[in-house]
Amino acid sequence: MSITGIKGMNDILPAEICAWQFLEEQARKIFSCYGCKEIRVPVVEKTELFCRSIGETTDIVEKEMYTFNDKSDHSLTLRPEGTAPVIRSFIQHKLYNQDQVSKLYYIGPMFRYERPQKGRYRQFHQIGAEIIGIDDPRIDAQTLAMLSHYFDAVGIKDVSLQINSLGCPNCRPNYRATLIEYLEQRTDQLCPDCQRRCASNPLRVLDCKAKGCKEATHDAPSVLDHLCRECTEHFDAVQQHLKLLETEYTINNRMVRGLDYYTKTTFEMVTNNLGSQNAVAAGGRYDGLIEELDGPSLPGIGFAMGLERLVLLLGENRVKATQPKIFFATMGEQAEEIAFKLLHQLQRHGIHAEMDFSGKSLKAQLRRADKLGCKFTLFLGENEINDGNAQLKKMADGTQTAIPIDTIFAQLCTMLDDNTASSL
Ligand code: ATP
Ligand code: MG
């Protein structure tokens, strides 16, 4: 049997790539308006990095990581997310010495050993941003506004922004204790995973998708009622500035996020159009993470968007591949020679041109031109060469024009150049 790819790890084929490129280009364009610069970090890191940052009792570290020993017996892990590697690099290269705020973004594959289904894969891709150095609530509002701007720009409408605050090391332990007390009275109604989480990661119970867990915890104490004064003021100010920037949001006090490092503001961009995979983007503030990874005591906030889910949501608005501008349909060796040279000249000029190399009949060449979606076909055969004029056919309406052979290149350049031919 021939070798196939790995379950849950997808090929992105040429027919789909335009949507990906569009989403990536828009991210580069929009994020750069907010001052973000791209950073590229390796796809593998020391396992310890993820255990220490994401948290030992999270789903990712407990069961989703691709961890292996290399030939020197070092434990390595394929990155399950981008924040920890970016922060590792930020600390290692002392990027904090360059400016008081570092605004970074990344695009690339992530790996989690999950059950593959629509919108959930084992290799998936994220576009993420990290704003490090300032904990001013305006930075939170600006980051959320940038995320919202991105969704507007790519034309994904059916999404809404949900926000919450998870407090800080001063107030979270109190809330955690209150929540544990509440959950302990209902352990028998919780799924086995959540029964275990009650002690290790109680906040995560609020995020459980199981119906029983949702029902049992419908009146759970809200984290927002347990924030300390500083966190309450911060969260209020984030909202005030979101209103100022006219960025719509709703508060979801049950959103806890699956990673340990979050503090204060957390958020998700959610949709109803992806079945049970309702989050398209997610993130939050992580004011203790950089210090936890032995860096300076600097705050940060960031998010990651799932590219596969963005592509699914683009749906109807999917971006179409660009099509060849011109096809040279030839008959006879001499015509082929002329066309072959012209093809090269046009391609060097930045114009997508095609011709046939397999000796197909004129009819078959035309069919191919049509199938490729070429805007024009240029006919060049013995008759045309004797006559000194090639025939240019506009595929949309079939109209034909004669073009003197020695002016073909110049004329096609004027007609087909994107900058001069906006009417085509
Ligand atoms: P979920 O609740 O869907 O498991 P998550 O909380 O694990 O998401 P994050 O770690 O916050 O997700 O990652 C941010 C985004 O990355 C998600 O909103 C989603 O779009 C995408 N994502 C996460 N895991 C996967 C996956 N296995 N396959 C495809 N996309 C994913
Ligand atoms: Mg997950």
Side-chain angles (χ1 to χ4, degrees):
M1 208 180 79
S2 62
I3 301 167
T4 56
I6 298 166
K7 189 179 169 197
M9 302 205 181
N10 301 319
D11 300 311
I12 302 154
L13 301 174
E16 311 157 72
I17 205 71
C18 286
W20 287 73
Q21 289 171 339
F22 168 72
L23 291 164
E24 291 167 5
E25 275 160 22
Q26 290 295 314
R28 292 181 199 286
K29 199 169 126 196
I30 288 162
F31 294 179
S32 68
C33 297
Y34 296 80
C36 296
K37 298 210 171 74
E38 185 175 357
I39 182 166
R40 298 189 189 185
V41 290
V43 292
V44 216
E45 295 276 351
K46 292 178 183 163
T47 302
E48 191 194 348
L49 173 69
F50 300 112
C51 297
R52 250 167 77 187
S53 55
I54 299 171
E56 295 278 1
T57 60
T58 57
D59 279 0
I60 294 181
V61 174
E62 270 187 348
K63 42 189 190 193
E64 295 173 0
M65 294 207 306
Y66 277 92
T67 298
F68 58 96
N69 281 7
D70 71 2
K71 291 198 196 305
S72 315
D73 240 11
H74 295 133
S75 178
L76 304 181
T77 294
L78 297 186
R79 62 181 187 194
E81 58 106 46
T83 303
V86 167
I87 298 301
R88 194 263 315 134
S89 173
F90 170 82
I91 297 170
Q92 186 173 337
H93 301 287
K94 300 192 170 55
L95 297 188
Y96 45 85
N97 283 339
Q98 294 178 8
D99 194 6
Q100 55 166 334
V101 52
S102 299
K103 304 177 191 175
L104 307 167
Y105 77 88
Y106 58 86
I107 300 178
M110 306 293 159
F111 305 84
R112 295 186 196 174
Y113 192 77
E114 301 202 68
R115 196 167 63 79
Q117 52 195 288
K118 185 182 167 196
R120 189 176 295 285
Y121 310 101
R122 290 182 174 174
Q123 174 176 306
F124 62 99
H125 297 75
Q126 286 185 335
I127 302 181
E130 314 290 349
I131 319 292
I132 310 163
I134 299 184
D135 68 357
D136 191 296
R138 282 174 298 181
I139 292 287
D140 303 45
Q142 192 182 51
T143 306
L144 290 169
M146 177 171 91
L147 182 64
S148 227
H149 178 179
Y150 179 78
F151 279 83
D152 286 345
V154 299
I156 296 179
K157 293 193 175 65
D158 286 342
V159 286
S160 59
L161 177 65
Q162 297 190 346
I163 64 169
N164 193 20
S165 175
L166 289 184
C168 68
N170 289 331
C171 50
R172 179 116 56 101
N174 246 339
Y175 174 65
R176 195 172 181 274
T178 313
L179 187 63
I180 291 179
E181 207 174 293
Y182 169 89
L183 293 173
E184 272 169 354
Q185 288 154 24
R186 297 163 175 77
T187 35
D188 51 334
Q189 297 167 54
L190 302 177
C191 73
D193 267 347
C194 283
Q195 289 183 357
R196 206 168 31 83
R197 283 176 189 136
C198 278
S200 61
N201 196 348
L203 272 72
R204 180 69 179 76
V205 177
L206 299 179
D207 195 34
C208 183
K209 308 234 158 59
K211 202 167 155 237
C213 297
K214 277 189 178 164
E215 280 170 12
T217 61
H218 76 276
D219 60 351
S222 163
V223 64
L224 296 177
D225 296 332
H226 292 78
L227 298 181
C228 61
R229 196 160 140 212
E230 190 197 319
C231 287
T232 305
E233 283 174 6
H234 192 274
F235 194 50
D236 287 347
V238 171
Q239 293 181 60
Q240 197 188 319
H241 287 101
L242 280 175
K243 285 181 187 131
L244 186 72
L245 302 184
E246 295 175 22
T247 301
E248 283 178 32
Y249 67 90
T250 53
I251 295 177
N252 174 0
N253 63 10
R254 293 175 66 94
M255 185 215 305
V256 298
R257 310 289 309 112
L259 300 86
D260 272 3
Y261 52 61
Y262 287 120
T263 52
K264 293 187 178 153
T265 318
T266 52
F267 51 92
E268 284 186 352
M269 197 58 103
V270 298
T271 174
N272 292 321
N273 298 345
L274 286 180
S276 55
Q277 271 54 258
N278 64 351
V280 204
R285 186 162 270 296
Y286 44 80
D287 291 349
L289 177 63
I290 299 167
E291 210 173 356
E292 173 62 34
L293 292 175
D294 301 325
S297 167
L298 286 173
I301 181 167
F303 62 80
M305 312 188 275
L307 256 163
E308 281 78 0
R309 294 186 194 177
L310 290 171
V311 170
L312 284 168
L313 287 177
L314 261 191
E316 294 286 290
N317 301 338
R318 268 185 110 115
V319 200
K320 290 233 164 51
T322 54
Q323 288 152 336
K325 294 274 169 57
I326 180 130
F327 191 95
F328 292 103
T330 58
M331 284 303 281
E333 256 176 50
Q334 210 190 339
E336 275 192 29
E337 284 285 312
I338 299 173
F340 184 59
K341 177 89 190 278
L342 277 169
L343 186 80
H344 172 71
Q345 287 175 320
L346 285 172
Q347 288 165 338
R348 281 203 63 134
H349 194 73
I351 292 171
H352 181 182
E354 293 280 350
M355 71 178 280
D356 174 59
F357 291 104
S358 61
K360 280 196 172 72
S361 70
L362 204 57
K363 213 166 138 194
Q365 292 183 53
L366 248 183
R367 264 204 307 274
R368 182 146 177 261
D370 211 33
K371 198 170 156 205
L372 290 173
C374 300
K375 282 191 170 22
F376 292 93
T377 303
L378 188 100
F379 292 100
L380 200 57
E382 268 169 41
N383 289 346
E384 283 76 17
I385 291 174
N386 291 337
D387 178 50
N389 284 310
Q391 291 294 323
L392 183 72
K393 179 176 171 183
K394 188 169 184 182
M395 300 301 270
D397 57 14
T399 49
Q400 292 207 16
T401 338
I403 300 189
I405 293 178
D406 49 6
T407 67
I408 292 177
F409 176 64
Q411 287 213 38
L412 288 182
C413 283
T414 329
M415 281 176 62
L416 302 178
D417 199 312
D418 278 333
N419 301 323
T420 51
S422 52
S423 62
L424 290 177

